[in-house]
Structure formats: C-alpha cells, structure tokens
C-alpha cells in the first residue's frame, strides 16, 4: 500500500465515492442508501472517510517534507486545521440557514437543526459562542471538529508513523481504550454532545497513516500467511454482515460515537479485501472509467460542506413530500438530485476558481 505516486487515482476514487455515499446515507428516503455499506456491515462510510484522511495526510506530509522540509509540512497542517475550523463554521452556518429557509416554507423534518435554530433566535450570543468553541455542533457539521484536532496532531502522528510505528500504535491503542471516559471531558453545551469521539476516532486516522508509512499490507500479503489472512478477512466480513442483518441496531449510535471494536474489526477485514482488489489493478481501471467520482474526491473539503447542504435539503423536502413514508420513485429521484448536485459542485469548482482569480487579477491591474 505504498505506491510511488503522490496522487493516486484509487485514492481520489474512494474519497469521492465515500462522499457520494455519505450524501445519500443522510437522506432518510434514499433508495441507494439501502444498499450502501452501513446496511451490510457493522461499520459505514465514516470509517472509510477517516482512514483515507489519515492515508492522504501521510502522502501530503511526506511529499511536502521531501520537497521542502518537515517545518514546512508542519506549518501546512497548522494552516489546514484553521481551514477545517473555518469549514466547520461555514457548515454550521449553512445548517442553520437551510433549516431557517425550510421552516419559512413550512417544511419540517426530523434532521432539521430546529433546537439550534430556536436557541439562536432566543440567545444568539450564547449559541454563536457555543458553535465557535465546538460546544454546539449543528447536524452534519459534527465530523469536522475532530478533523481539526487531527490536523493539529499530524506533526506528531506522521513522524512517529515513519520512524516509531509501534510506539505510535501503542499510544493510539491506549487512547482508544480510554476514549469512553475521556469523551466526557469534551466541551459541550447542555443537551449537546459530540457525535464523534476524537479520542476514539484518532485510532482510525492513525491506522490510515500507518498503512501509508509502513509496508504492513505488502509484508503480510507476500508472506505464506497472506492467503490465510484473506480467508479470515472474508469470513469476518460475512459474519459481520450476518450480525448486522439479524441483530437489533439500537446501540449503533454509541458504537459509532466511540468507534467500538466490532466496527474496527469489520473495517480492517473490508480494507484488506479492497487492498487486494487495488493490487490486482481492478480499482484503478474502475477509477479511470468514472473520472467524475475522482473529481469529487479531489475537492474533498468543499464537497463535504456542499454535501451537508444537499443532504439536509433533499432529505427534508423528501420527508415533507412523502409524509415520512417510503416512496421508491421519489427516493430514486432524490438520490439522482443529490448525486448530480454534488457532481456539479465538483465539476464547477475549478472553473469558478479560475474565473474569480482572473477577475481579481483584472481588478488589481485596473487599480495599478
């Protein structure tokens, strides 16, 4: 899992695919969400998203450190933490804005941020302060605070992943074991808790960084035990699918919040099987046949923010239109609208940036 190229077609493809899945998974009446990962596994797209974040971060760090130095890489990820923080504020604001617009049109749905919106109307200074301090995280913005912390931790994580992998793994595992108790130390307004426990989810981010920095997969795959691991991974995936399809999922929210071990085991087994497909070249051929998915992956942060707006808007309108009942044709239409909207955002991002850049250059030239 250590290709020589810094930009991987497979990585962009997986990141784009995960972002598209996240969008439809947050639409209650979606038809596609009935066949995505969370339906047949104890884990879901969140694990893939965070793991790929760690993997991509390791690529970015090592590339920048080789081109310049580690100090430059450190500064870049401190800036990245600030970018993610700003994206969180933008996402939180958009969640409130979209909810206000939907309420103005008398559209109500379970996932609207009604409580935060009411609080903003009653005590705007308190709500805004809570959002600025991560004490309040409006719907779908909740994954970004932990990413900001991960970005700040990158100057420690990546050098350790390269030089002291077992020390990093031991520290990450210890923190993951203590995550349930540490969770209650996170800042939170009354009635608001973090949906993602960063003390637990750092393990998935670290796993992604280790997978990039260390030849763990290549060593196991080339050993005599490689086929045994593949058989065990397939068996694990099938057992987890059986458990998911047959066991009550009422505890899923806590399992996900604290990244409990069944989710980790299921993800590692799936990752092993997918890594095999990458080695055979299947995923590269698939990625090259659908480049528009890779375009979404290359605009990850922008598409994530846009996806939150798309999910909340489409989900709310669909719920209102169908009175909360499952409607197959309308569900498929909602899926098509959501996916097309996100693809449009990814496709228009570069042309719009070039246009704004050219306009700014013209204004500067005119002022001179």
């Amino acid at each position: 899992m250590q290709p020589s190229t810094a930009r991987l077609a497979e990585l962009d493809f997986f990141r784009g695919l995960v972002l598209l899945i996240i969008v439809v998974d947050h639409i209650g009446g979606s038809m596609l969400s009935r066949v995505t990962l969370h339906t047949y596994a104890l884990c879901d797209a969140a694990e893939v998203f965070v793991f790929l974040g760690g993997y991509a971060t390791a690529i970015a760090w090592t590339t920048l450190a080789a081109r310049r130095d580690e100090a430059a890489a450190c500064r870049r990820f401190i800036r990245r933490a600030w970018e993610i923080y700003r994206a969180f504020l933008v996402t939180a604001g958009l969640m409130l804005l979209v909810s206000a617009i939907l309420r103005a049109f008398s559209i109500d749905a379970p996932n609207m941020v009604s409580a935060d919106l009411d609080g903003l109307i009653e005590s705007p200074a308190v709500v805004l302060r809570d959002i600025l301090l991560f004490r309040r995280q409006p719907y779908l913005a909740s994954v970004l605070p932990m990413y900001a912390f991960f970005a700040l931790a990158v100057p420690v994580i990546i050098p350790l992943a390269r030089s002291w992998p077992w020390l990093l793994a031991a520290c990450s595992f210890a923190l993951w074991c203590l995550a349930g108790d540490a969770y209650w130390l996170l800042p939170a307004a009354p009635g608001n808790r973090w949906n993602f426990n960063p003390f637990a989810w750092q393990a998935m981010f670290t796993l992604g960084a280790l997978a990039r920095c260390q030849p763990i997969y290549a060593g196991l795959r080339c050993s005599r035990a490689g086929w045994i691991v593949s058989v065990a991974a397939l068996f694990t995936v099938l057992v987890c699918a059986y458990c998911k399809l047959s066991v009550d999922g009422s505890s899923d929210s806590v399992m996900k919040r604290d990244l409990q071990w069944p989710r980790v085991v299921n993800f590692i087994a799936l990752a092993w099987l997918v890594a095999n497909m990458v080695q055979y070249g299947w995923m590269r051929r698939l990625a090259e046949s659908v480049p528009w998915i890779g375009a979404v992956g290359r605009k990850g942060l922008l598409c994530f923010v846009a996806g939150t707006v798309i999910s909340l808007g489409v989900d709310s309108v669909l719920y209102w239109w169908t009175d909360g009942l499952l409607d197959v044709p309308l569900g498929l239409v909602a899926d098509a609208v959501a996916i097309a909207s996100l693809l449009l955002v990814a496709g228009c991002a570069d042309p719009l940036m070039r246009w704004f850049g050219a306009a700014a250059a013209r204004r500067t030239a005119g002022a001179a």
Side-chain angles (χ1 to χ4, degrees):
M1 293 180 71
Q2 285 188 295
S4 58
T5 55
R7 189 85 242 177
L8 301 175
E10 298 96 332
L11 179 59
D12 290 335
F13 169 78
F14 283 126
R15 295 178 75 185
L17 183 62
V18 166
L19 286 166
L20 290 167
I21 290 173
I22 288 173
V23 168
V24 298
D25 277 353
H26 287 94
I27 299 173
S30 164
M31 292 296 104
L32 289 180
S33 70
R34 267 68 185 170
V35 295
T36 54
L37 181 61
H38 73 98
T39 304
Y40 304 103
L42 299 177
C43 57
D44 59 27
E47 279 84 357
V48 184
F49 190 63
V50 176
F51 175 87
L52 292 178
Y55 193 93
T57 294
I59 293 177
W61 173 280
T62 53
T63 301
L64 185 55
R67 186 182 303 151
R68 299 178 63 185
D69 54 37
E70 290 201 350
C74 182
R75 290 192 297 271
R76 174 66 190 94
F77 278 93
I78 291 174
R79 291 198 302 272
R80 183 61 173 173
W82 172 242
E83 291 169 3
I84 295 171
Y85 178 70
R86 288 185 299 176
F88 165 74
L89 296 181
V90 170
T91 305
L94 289 171
M95 293 296 94
L96 292 166
L97 177 61
V98 172
S99 295
I101 293 172
L102 292 169
R103 179 181 288 185
F105 285 94
S106 300
I107 296 174
D108 195 13
N111 291 324
M112 285 174 53
V113 292
S114 300
D116 290 326
L117 189 59
D118 292 337
L120 183 65
I121 295 170
E122 295 172 6
S123 305
V126 172
V127 171
L128 291 175
R129 179 206 64 190
D130 288 345
I131 291 174
L132 287 169
L133 297 177
F134 292 152
R135 287 164 50 84
R136 190 184 297 264
Q137 301 170 15
Y139 177 65
L140 295 181
S142 57
V143 72
L144 293 174
M146 74 170 183
Y147 256 97
F149 288 124
F150 294 165
L152 289 175
V154 163
V156 175
I157 292 175
I158 304 303
L160 283 176
R162 299 176 71 185
S163 303
W164 299 89
W166 291 110
L167 176 61
L168 175 63
C171 292
S172 178
F173 179 74
L175 186 56
W176 176 67
C177 291
L178 298 171
D181 294 326
Y183 173 77
W184 303 103
L185 301 175
L186 294 169
N192 290 265
R193 300 303 313 181
W194 291 45
N195 290 334
F196 290 87
N197 184 347
F199 298 111
W201 281 85
Q202 55 76 29
M204 192 58 61
F205 187 86
T206 299
L207 186 63
L210 286 169
R212 171 61 190 180
C213 294
Q214 297 297 326
I216 303 169
Y217 168 77
L220 278 174
R221 183 174 180 270
C222 295
S223 70
R224 294 181 179 180
W227 69 271
I228 299 176
V229 177
S230 295
V231 171
L234 179 59
F235 177 75
T236 301
V237 168
L238 294 175
V239 170
C240 290
Y242 172 78
C243 293
K244 178 65 176 184
L245 294 170
S246 60
V247 177
D248 174 37
S250 58
S251 63
D252 279 358
S253 60
V254 176
M255 278 185 62
K256 183 171 183 176
R257 185 197 73 190
D258 291 337
L259 189 64
Q260 293 182 1
W261 69 265
R263 296 180 68 99
V264 177
V265 170
N266 197 172
F267 171 80
I268 291 175
L270 281 166
W272 178 273
L273 297 178
V274 172
N276 285 343
M277 290 189 282
V278 171
Q279 288 298 316
Y280 291 133
W282 301 345
M283 302 314 301
R284 174 169 286 274
R285 288 193 290 271
L286 179 59
E288 290 172 348
S289 66
V290 283
W292 37 274
I293 294 182
V296 175
R298 286 189 293 275
K299 303 295 179 185
L301 189 57
L302 171 64
C303 287
F304 176 83
V305 175
T308 62
V309 176
I310 294 166
S311 291
L312 179 59
V314 173
D315 177 47
S316 300
V317 171
L318 180 63
Y319 183 90
W320 167 76
W321 194 277
T322 62
D323 292 324
L325 301 175
L326 191 64
D327 187 299
V328 175
L330 287 178
L332 291 171
V333 170
D335 287 330
V337 169
I339 291 173
S341 299
L342 194 58
L343 293 175
L344 182 63
V345 169
C348 292
D350 284 336
L352 283 175
M353 289 299 293
R354 286 195 294 268
W355 184 84
F356 282 120
R362 286 195 297 271
R363 286 196 299 270
T364 302

